Coordinates of all heavy atoms in Angstrom, one line a residue:
M5 N -25.0 -5.8 -11.9 CA -23.9 -6.4 -11.0 C -24.4 -6.4 -9.6 O -24.9 -5.3 -9.2 CB -22.7 -5.5 -11.2 CG -21.5 -6.2 -11.0 SD -19.9 -5.2 -11.0 CE -20.1 -4.2 -12.5
P6 N -24.4 -7.4 -8.9 CA -24.8 -7.3 -7.4 C -23.9 -6.6 -6.6 O -22.8 -6.6 -6.7 CB -24.8 -8.9 -7.1 CG -23.9 -9.5 -7.9 CD -23.9 -8.7 -9.1
T7 N -24.5 -5.8 -5.7 CA -23.7 -5.0 -4.7 C -23.1 -6.0 -3.7 O -23.7 -7.2 -3.4 CB -24.4 -3.9 -4.1 OG1 -25.6 -4.5 -3.4 CG2 -24.8 -2.9 -5.0
T8 N -22.0 -5.6 -3.0 CA -21.3 -6.6 -2.0 C -22.4 -6.6 -0.8 O -22.9 -5.6 -0.3 CB -20.1 -6.0 -1.7 OG1 -20.2 -4.6 -1.3 CG2 -19.1 -6.2 -2.7
L9 N -22.5 -7.7 -0.3 CA -23.3 -8.0 0.9 C -22.7 -7.6 2.3 O -23.4 -7.1 3.1 CB -23.8 -9.4 1.0 CG -24.7 -10.0 -0.2 CD1 -24.9 -11.4 0.0 CD2 -25.9 -9.1 -0.3
N10 N -21.4 -7.6 2.2 CA -20.7 -7.1 3.4 C -19.3 -6.6 2.8 O -19.1 -6.7 1.8 CB -20.5 -8.2 4.4 CG -19.6 -9.3 3.9 OD1 -18.5 -9.1 3.7 ND2 -20.0 -10.4 3.6
R11 N -18.7 -5.9 3.8 CA -17.5 -5.3 3.4 C -16.2 -6.0 3.9 O -15.2 -5.4 4.1 CB -17.4 -3.8 3.7 CG -18.5 -3.1 2.9 CD -18.9 -1.7 3.5 NE -20.1 -1.2 2.7 CZ -20.7 -0.1 3.0 NH1 -20.1 0.7 3.8 NH2 -21.7 0.2 2.4
V12 N -16.4 -7.1 4.4 CA -15.3 -7.9 5.1 C -14.7 -8.9 4.1 O -13.6 -8.8 3.9 CB -15.8 -8.5 6.4 CG1 -14.6 -9.4 7.0 CG2 -16.3 -7.6 7.4
N13 N -15.6 -9.7 3.5 CA -15.0 -10.7 2.6 C -15.0 -10.3 1.2 O -15.5 -10.9 0.3 CB -16.0 -12.0 2.7 CG -15.8 -12.6 4.1 OD1 -14.9 -12.6 4.7 ND2 -17.0 -13.0 4.7
V14 N -14.4 -9.1 0.9 CA -14.2 -8.6 -0.4 C -12.7 -8.4 -0.7 O -12.0 -8.3 0.3 CB -15.0 -7.3 -0.6 CG1 -16.5 -7.6 -0.7 CG2 -14.6 -6.1 0.2
P15 N -12.3 -8.4 -2.0 CA -10.9 -8.4 -1.9 C -10.2 -7.0 -1.8 O -9.0 -7.0 -1.5 CB -10.7 -8.8 -3.6 CG -12.0 -8.7 -4.2 CD -12.9 -8.9 -3.1
V16 N -11.0 -6.0 -1.9 CA -10.4 -4.6 -1.7 C -10.8 -4.3 -0.2 O -12.0 -3.9 -0.1 CB -10.9 -3.8 -2.7 CG1 -10.4 -2.3 -2.4 CG2 -10.4 -4.2 -4.2
A17 N -9.9 -4.1 0.6 CA -10.0 -3.6 1.9 C -9.6 -2.1 2.0 O -8.5 -1.9 1.5 CB -9.2 -4.4 2.9
V18 N -10.5 -1.3 2.7 CA -10.1 0.1 2.9 C -9.9 0.3 4.4 O -10.7 0.0 5.1 CB -11.3 1.0 2.3 CG1 -10.9 2.5 2.7 CG2 -11.4 0.8 0.7
D19 N -8.7 0.8 4.7 CA -8.5 1.1 6.2 C -9.1 2.5 6.4 O -8.5 3.6 6.0 CB -6.9 1.2 6.3 CG -6.5 1.5 7.8 OD1 -7.3 2.1 8.5 OD2 -5.4 1.1 8.1
A20 N -10.2 2.5 7.1 CA -11.0 3.6 7.4 C -10.1 4.8 8.2 O -10.4 5.9 8.0 CB -12.2 3.4 8.1
G21 N -9.2 4.3 8.9 CA -8.3 5.2 9.7 C -7.4 6.0 8.7 O -7.0 7.0 9.1
K22 N -7.1 5.4 7.6 CA -6.2 6.2 6.6 C -7.0 6.9 5.6 O -6.5 7.8 5.0 CB -5.2 5.0 5.9 CG -4.2 4.5 7.0 CD -3.4 3.6 6.2 CE -2.3 3.0 7.2 NZ -1.5 2.0 6.5
C23 N -8.2 6.4 5.2 CA -8.9 7.0 4.0 C -9.4 8.4 4.3 O -9.8 8.7 5.4 CB -10.1 6.1 3.8 SG -11.1 6.7 2.4
I24 N -9.0 9.4 3.3 CA -9.4 10.7 3.6 C -10.5 11.1 2.5 O -10.6 12.3 2.1 CB -8.1 11.6 3.4 CG1 -7.3 11.3 2.0 CG2 -7.3 11.3 4.5 CD1 -6.3 12.4 1.6
A25 N -11.4 10.2 2.3 CA -12.4 10.5 1.3 C -13.3 11.7 1.8 O -13.8 12.5 1.0 CB -13.3 9.3 1.1
E26 N -13.5 11.8 3.1 CA -14.3 12.8 3.6 C -13.7 14.3 3.3 O -14.3 15.2 3.5 CB -14.6 12.6 5.1 CG -13.5 12.9 6.1 CD -12.4 11.8 6.3 OE1 -12.4 10.9 5.5 OE2 -11.6 12.0 7.1
K27 N -12.3 14.2 3.0 CA -11.7 15.5 2.7 C -11.8 15.7 1.2 O -11.0 16.7 0.7 CB -10.3 15.5 3.2 CG -10.2 15.5 4.7 CD -8.8 15.5 5.2 CE -8.8 15.6 6.7 NZ -7.5 15.0 7.2
G28 N -12.4 14.9 0.5 CA -12.7 15.0 -1.0 C -11.9 14.1 -1.9 O -12.1 14.3 -3.0
C29 N -11.2 13.2 -1.4 CA -10.3 12.3 -2.2 C -11.4 11.2 -2.8 O -12.2 10.7 -2.1 CB -9.4 11.5 -1.4 SG -8.4 10.4 -2.4
T30 N -11.2 11.0 -4.1 CA -12.0 10.1 -4.9 C -11.2 9.3 -5.9 O -11.5 8.7 -6.8 CB -13.2 10.7 -5.7 OG1 -12.7 11.6 -6.5 CG2 -14.2 11.4 -4.8
V31 N -9.7 9.3 -5.5 CA -8.8 8.7 -6.4 C -9.2 7.3 -6.8 O -9.1 6.9 -7.9 CB -7.4 8.8 -5.8 CG1 -6.4 7.9 -6.6 CG2 -7.0 10.3 -5.8
C32 N -9.4 6.5 -5.7 CA -9.6 5.0 -6.0 C -10.9 4.9 -6.7 O -11.0 3.9 -7.7 CB -9.7 4.2 -4.7 SG -10.9 4.8 -3.5
V33 N -11.9 5.5 -6.5 CA -13.1 5.5 -7.3 C -12.9 5.9 -8.7 O -13.4 5.2 -9.7 CB -14.4 6.4 -6.6 CG1 -15.5 6.4 -7.4 CG2 -14.5 6.0 -5.2
D34 N -12.1 6.9 -8.9 CA -11.8 7.4 -10.3 C -11.0 6.5 -11.2 O -11.1 6.3 -12.3 CB -11.2 8.8 -10.2 CG -12.1 9.8 -9.6 OD1 -13.4 9.5 -9.6 OD2 -11.6 10.8 -9.1
V35 N -10.1 5.8 -10.5 CA -9.0 5.0 -11.2 C -9.5 3.6 -11.5 O -9.0 2.9 -12.5 CB -7.7 4.9 -10.5 CG1 -7.0 6.1 -10.6 CG2 -7.7 4.2 -9.2
C36 N -10.5 3.1 -10.7 CA -11.0 1.7 -11.0 C -11.6 1.6 -12.3 O -12.7 2.2 -12.7 CB -12.0 1.3 -9.9 SG -12.6 -0.4 -10.2
P37 N -11.1 0.8 -13.3 CA -11.7 0.7 -14.6 C -13.1 0.0 -14.7 O -13.9 0.2 -15.6 CB -10.7 -0.2 -15.5 CG -10.0 -0.9 -14.4 CD -10.0 -0.1 -13.1
L38 N -13.4 -0.6 -13.6 CA -14.7 -1.3 -13.6 C -15.8 -0.5 -12.7 O -16.9 -1.0 -12.5 CB -14.6 -2.9 -13.0 CG -13.7 -3.8 -13.9 CD1 -13.6 -5.1 -13.3 CD2 -14.2 -3.6 -15.3
D39 N -15.4 0.5 -12.2 CA -16.3 1.4 -11.2 C -16.8 0.5 -10.1 O -18.0 0.6 -9.7 CB -17.4 1.8 -12.1 CG -17.5 3.3 -12.2 OD1 -16.6 4.1 -11.4 OD2 -18.3 3.9 -12.9
L40 N -15.9 0.0 -9.4 CA -16.3 -1.0 -8.3 C -16.3 -0.4 -6.9 O -16.9 -0.9 -6.0 CB -15.4 -2.2 -8.3 CG -15.1 -3.1 -9.5 CD1 -14.2 -4.2 -9.3 CD2 -16.5 -3.6 -10.0
L41 N -15.6 0.8 -6.8 CA -15.5 1.4 -5.7 C -16.4 2.6 -5.4 O -16.8 3.2 -6.5 CB -14.0 1.7 -5.3 CG -13.0 0.6 -5.5 CD1 -11.5 1.1 -5.5 CD2 -13.2 -0.5 -4.6
A42 N -16.7 3.0 -4.2 CA -17.7 4.1 -4.1 C -17.3 4.7 -2.8 O -16.6 4.0 -1.9 CB -19.0 3.6 -4.0
I43 N -17.7 6.0 -2.5 CA -17.6 6.6 -1.2 C -18.9 6.3 -0.4 O -20.1 6.6 -0.9 CB -17.3 8.0 -1.3 CG1 -16.2 8.3 -2.2 CG2 -17.1 8.8 0.1 CD1 -14.8 7.8 -1.8
D44 N -18.8 5.8 0.8 CA -20.0 5.7 1.7 C -20.4 7.0 2.3 O -19.5 7.6 3.0 CB -19.7 4.5 2.7 CG -20.9 4.4 3.6 OD1 -21.7 5.3 3.9 OD2 -21.0 3.2 4.1
Q45 N -21.5 7.6 2.0 CA -22.0 8.8 2.4 C -22.1 8.8 3.9 O -22.0 10.0 4.5 CB -23.1 9.3 1.7 CG -23.0 9.5 0.2 CD -21.7 10.4 -0.3 OE1 -21.4 11.4 0.4 NE2 -21.0 10.0 -1.3
Q46 N -22.4 7.8 4.6 CA -22.6 7.7 6.0 C -21.3 7.8 6.7 O -21.2 8.5 7.6 CB -23.2 6.4 6.4 CG -24.5 6.1 5.6 CD -25.7 6.9 6.2 OE1 -25.7 7.3 7.3 NE2 -26.6 7.4 5.2
T47 N -20.3 6.9 6.3 CA -19.0 6.9 7.0 C -18.1 7.9 6.5 O -17.1 8.3 7.1 CB -18.4 5.6 6.9 OG1 -18.1 5.3 5.5 CG2 -19.4 4.5 7.4
G48 N -18.2 8.5 5.2 CA -17.3 9.3 4.5 C -16.0 8.6 4.1 O -15.0 9.2 3.9
K49 N -16.1 7.2 3.9 CA -14.9 6.6 3.6 C -15.2 5.6 2.4 O -16.4 5.4 2.0 CB -14.6 5.5 4.6 CG -14.3 6.1 6.0 CD -13.1 7.1 6.0 CE -12.9 7.8 7.3 NZ -11.9 8.5 7.4
A50 N -14.2 5.3 1.5 CA -14.3 4.5 0.4 C -14.6 3.0 0.7 O -14.2 2.6 1.9 CB -13.0 4.5 -0.5
Y51 N -15.3 2.4 -0.1 CA -15.6 0.8 0.1 C -15.7 0.3 -1.1 O -16.0 0.8 -2.3 CB -16.8 0.6 1.0 CG -18.0 1.0 0.5 CD1 -18.9 -0.1 0.0 CD2 -18.5 2.3 0.2 CE1 -20.2 0.2 -0.5 CE2 -19.8 2.5 -0.3 CZ -20.5 1.4 -0.7 OH -21.7 1.7 -1.4
M52 N -15.6 -1.1 -1.3 CA -15.9 -1.9 -2.3 C -17.4 -2.1 -2.6 O -17.9 -2.9 -1.8 CB -15.1 -3.2 -2.4 CG -15.3 -4.0 -3.7 SD -14.2 -5.4 -3.9 CE -13.7 -5.2 -5.6
K53 N -17.9 -1.5 -3.6 CA -19.4 -1.6 -3.8 C -19.8 -2.8 -4.6 O -20.9 -3.4 -4.3 CB -19.9 -0.3 -4.5 CG -21.5 -0.2 -4.7 CD -21.8 1.1 -5.1 CE -23.5 1.2 -5.1 NZ -23.8 2.6 -5.8
F54 N -18.9 -3.1 -5.6 CA -19.2 -4.3 -6.4 C -18.1 -5.2 -6.4 O -16.9 -4.9 -6.7 CB -19.5 -3.9 -7.8 CG -20.5 -3.0 -8.0 CD1 -20.3 -1.6 -8.2 CD2 -21.9 -3.4 -8.0 CE1 -21.4 -0.6 -8.3 CE2 -23.0 -2.4 -8.0 CZ -22.7 -1.1 -8.2
D55 N -18.3 -6.5 -6.2 CA -17.2 -7.5 -5.9 C -16.9 -8.2 -7.3 O -17.4 -9.4 -7.5 CB -17.7 -8.5 -4.9 CG -16.5 -9.5 -4.6 OD1 -15.5 -9.5 -5.3 OD2 -16.7 -10.3 -3.6
E56 N -16.3 -7.5 -8.1 CA -16.0 -8.1 -9.5 C -14.6 -7.8 -9.9 O -14.3 -7.4 -11.1 CB -16.9 -7.4 -10.5 CG -18.4 -7.7 -10.4 CD -18.7 -9.1 -10.8 OE1 -18.0 -9.7 -11.7 OE2 -19.7 -9.8 -10.3
C57 N -13.6 -7.7 -9.0 CA -12.3 -7.1 -9.1 C -11.4 -7.9 -10.2 O -11.5 -9.1 -10.3 CB -11.5 -7.3 -7.8 SG -10.1 -6.3 -7.6
W58 N -10.8 -7.0 -11.0 CA -9.8 -7.7 -11.9 C -8.4 -7.7 -11.4 O -7.4 -8.0 -12.1 CB -9.7 -6.7 -13.2 CG -10.9 -7.0 -14.2 CD1 -11.8 -8.0 -14.1 CD2 -11.1 -6.2 -15.3 NE1 -12.6 -7.9 -15.2 CE2 -12.2 -6.9 -15.9 CE3 -10.5 -5.1 -15.9 CZ2 -12.8 -6.3 -17.2 CZ3 -10.9 -4.6 -17.1 CH2 -12.1 -5.2 -17.7
Y59 N -8.2 -7.2 -10.2 CA -6.8 -7.3 -9.5 C -5.8 -6.4 -10.5 O -4.7 -6.9 -10.6 CB -6.4 -8.7 -9.3 CG -7.3 -9.4 -8.5 CD1 -8.3 -10.4 -9.2 CD2 -7.6 -9.1 -7.2 CE1 -9.2 -11.0 -8.4 CE2 -8.7 -9.8 -6.5 CZ -9.5 -10.7 -7.1 OH -10.5 -11.3 -6.4
C60 N -6.3 -5.4 -10.9 CA -5.3 -4.6 -11.8 C -4.4 -3.6 -10.9 O -3.5 -3.0 -11.3 CB -6.1 -3.9 -12.8 SG -7.4 -2.9 -12.3
L61 N -4.9 -3.3 -9.8 CA -4.3 -2.6 -8.6 C -4.0 -1.0 -8.7 O -3.3 -0.6 -7.8 CB -3.0 -3.3 -8.4 CG -2.9 -4.8 -8.0 CD1 -1.6 -5.3 -7.9 CD2 -3.9 -5.0 -6.7
P62 N -4.5 -0.3 -9.7 CA -4.3 1.1 -9.5 C -4.9 1.7 -8.3 O -4.5 2.7 -7.8 CB -4.9 1.6 -10.8 CG -5.8 0.6 -11.3 CD -5.3 -0.7 -10.9
C63 N -6.0 1.2 -7.9 CA -6.6 1.7 -6.6 C -5.7 1.6 -5.6 O -5.4 2.7 -4.7 CB -7.9 0.9 -6.2 SG -7.8 -0.9 -6.0
E64 N -5.0 0.5 -5.3 CA -4.0 0.2 -4.2 C -2.8 1.2 -4.6 O -2.3 2.0 -3.6 CB -3.6 -1.1 -4.1 CG -2.6 -1.3 -2.9 CD -2.3 -2.8 -2.8 OE1 -3.0 -3.7 -2.3 OE2 -1.2 -3.2 -3.2
A65 N -2.3 1.3 -5.7 CA -1.1 2.0 -6.1 C -1.3 3.5 -6.0 O -0.3 4.2 -5.5 CB -0.6 1.6 -7.5
D66 N -2.4 4.0 -6.3 CA -2.7 5.4 -6.4 C -3.2 6.2 -5.2 O -3.3 7.4 -5.1 CB -3.6 5.8 -7.7 CG -2.9 5.4 -9.0 OD1 -1.7 5.1 -8.9 OD2 -3.5 5.5 -10.0
C67 N -3.7 5.3 -4.2 CA -4.3 5.9 -3.0 C -3.1 6.7 -2.3 O -2.1 6.2 -1.9 CB -4.8 4.8 -2.0 SG -5.4 5.6 -0.4
P68 N -3.4 7.9 -2.1 CA -2.4 8.8 -1.6 C -2.0 8.5 -0.1 O -1.0 8.9 0.4 CB -3.0 10.2 -1.6 CG -4.5 10.0 -1.6 CD -4.8 8.7 -2.3
T69 N -2.8 7.8 0.6 CA -2.6 7.4 2.0 C -2.3 6.0 2.2 O -2.3 5.6 3.4 CB -3.8 7.9 2.9 OG1 -5.0 7.3 2.5 CG2 -3.9 9.5 2.8
Q70 N -2.2 5.2 1.1 CA -2.0 3.8 1.4 C -3.1 3.1 2.1 O -2.9 2.2 3.0 CB -0.6 3.4 2.0 CG 0.5 3.6 1.0 CD 1.0 5.0 1.0 OE1 1.3 5.6 1.9 NE2 1.2 5.6 -0.2
A71 N -4.3 3.5 2.0 CA -5.4 3.1 2.8 C -5.9 1.7 2.2 O -6.7 1.1 2.8 CB -6.6 4.1 2.7
I72 N -5.6 1.6 0.9 CA -6.2 0.2 0.2 C -5.3 -0.9 0.2 O -4.1 -0.7 -0.1 CB -6.7 0.6 -1.2 CG1 -7.9 1.7 -1.2 CG2 -7.1 -0.6 -2.0 CD1 -8.5 1.9 -2.3
H73 N -5.8 -2.0 0.5 CA -5.1 -3.3 0.3 C -6.0 -4.3 -0.4 O -7.1 -4.6 -0.2 CB -4.6 -4.1 1.6 CG -3.9 -5.2 1.3 ND1 -2.7 -5.3 0.8 CD2 -4.4 -6.5 1.4 CE1 -2.3 -6.6 0.7 NE2 -3.3 -7.3 1.1
V74 N -5.4 -4.7 -1.7 CA -6.1 -5.6 -2.5 C -5.5 -7.0 -2.2 O -4.3 -7.2 -2.4 CB -5.9 -5.3 -4.0 CG1 -6.8 -6.4 -4.9 CG2 -6.4 -3.9 -4.3
S75 N -6.3 -8.0 -1.8 CA -5.9 -9.4 -1.6 C -6.2 -10.2 -2.9 O -7.2 -10.4 -3.3 CB -6.9 -9.9 -0.6 OG -6.6 -9.3 0.7
I76 N -5.0 -10.5 -3.5 CA -5.0 -11.1 -4.8 C -5.2 -12.8 -4.6 O -4.4 -13.3 -3.7 CB -3.8 -11.0 -5.6 CG1 -3.7 -9.5 -5.8 CG2 -3.8 -11.8 -6.9 CD1 -2.4 -9.0 -6.6
P77 N -6.2 -13.3 -5.1 CA -6.3 -14.8 -4.8 C -5.2 -15.6 -5.1 O -4.4 -15.3 -6.2 CB -7.6 -15.1 -5.7 CG -8.2 -13.8 -6.0 CD -7.2 -12.8 -5.9
Y78 N -4.8 -16.6 -4.4 CA -3.7 -17.4 -4.6 C -3.5 -17.9 -6.0 O -2.4 -17.8 -6.6 CB -3.6 -18.6 -3.6 CG -2.5 -19.6 -3.8 CD1 -1.2 -19.1 -3.3 CD2 -2.6 -20.7 -4.4 CE1 -0.1 -19.9 -3.4 CE2 -1.5 -21.6 -4.5 CZ -0.3 -21.2 -4.1 OH 0.8 -22.0 -4.1
L79 N -4.5 -18.3 -6.6 CA -4.5 -18.9 -8.0 C -4.1 -17.9 -9.1 O -3.7 -18.2 -10.2 CB -5.8 -19.6 -8.4 CG -5.9 -20.9 -7.6 CD1 -7.3 -21.5 -7.8 CD2 -4.9 -22.0 -7.9
L80 N -4.2 -16.6 -8.8 CA -3.9 -15.5 -9.7 C -2.6 -14.9 -9.5 O -2.1 -14.2 -10.4 CB -4.8 -14.4 -9.6 CG -6.3 -14.7 -9.9 CD1 -7.2 -13.4 -9.9 CD2 -6.3 -15.2 -11.4
R81 N -1.8 -15.5 -8.5 CA -0.4 -14.7 -8.2 C 0.7 -15.4 -9.2 O 0.5 -16.5 -9.8 CB 0.0 -15.0 -6.9 CG -0.7 -14.1 -5.8 CD -0.4 -14.3 -4.4 NE -1.3 -13.8 -3.5 CZ -1.4 -14.1 -2.2 NH1 -0.5 -14.9 -1.7 NH2 -2.4 -13.5 -1.5
Ligands
SF4_113 S1 -7.9 6.7 -2.8 FE1 -7.5 6.2 -0.6 S2 -7.9 8.0 0.6 FE2 -8.7 8.4 -1.5 S3 -10.8 7.7 -1.3 FE3 -9.7 6.0 -1.9 S4 -9.2 4.9 -0.2 FE4 -9.7 6.8 0.5
SF4_114 S1 -7.8 -3.9 -8.4 FE1 -8.5 -2.8 -10.3 S2 -10.7 -3.7 -10.7 FE2 -10.1 -4.3 -8.5 S3 -11.0 -2.5 -7.4 FE3 -8.8 -2.0 -7.8 S4 -8.9 -0.7 -9.6 FE4 -10.8 -1.8 -9.5

C-alpha cells in the first residue's frame, strides 16, 4: 500500500491542537480495521499514513478529544 504523499489531501484530518498522542493515546491507530493511521514520532501526533479509507468512522467516533474529522466523499453519503 503506498503511503500518503502529503497530509492535507487525505480523508482523515487530525487536529494537532487536540490530538494527545504524545501523552500515550493510540485509540485511532488501534481501532482502524485497515491500519491506516499512525503516530508521527517527530510531531507526536496521529496522521493518516495510508490513504485507503473505508469511511467506517470508529477513528472519528472513538477519539477522546474529537481531534479527528473524516471527510466522506459526496458519492458515498
Ligand atoms: S484517538 Fe485522537 S487523541 Fe488519540 S491519537 Fe488518535 S487523534 Fe490523537
Ligand atoms: S474511517 Fe475507518 S478506515 Fe478510515 S481511517 Fe477511520 S477507522 Fe480507518
Side-chain angles (χ1 to χ4, degrees):
M5 209 185 312
T7 54
T8 49
L9 295 177
N10 66 68
R11 294 170 192 181
V12 179
N13 296 318
V14 293
V16 177
V18 177
D19 183 334
K22 292 182 178 174
C23 178
I24 53 168
E26 78 278 10
K27 293 180 179 158
C29 182
T30 58
V31 169
C32 58
V33 176
D34 296 339
V35 296
C36 178
L38 299 182
D39 240 355
L40 303 180
L41 308 177
I43 309 298
D44 184 324
Q45 299 304 325
Q46 304 290 325
T47 64
K49 305 296 179 181
Y51 72 104
M52 185 168 219
K53 187 171 183 184
F54 303 104
D55 188 357
E56 296 284 334
C57 196
W58 277 356
Y59 308 103
C60 54
L61 302 179
C63 57
E64 182 177 286
D66 294 352
C67 173
T69 62
Q70 286 83 50
I72 293 191
H73 178 69
V74 180
S75 297
I76 300 174
Y78 178 73
L79 289 174
L80 293 184
R81 285 180 200 169

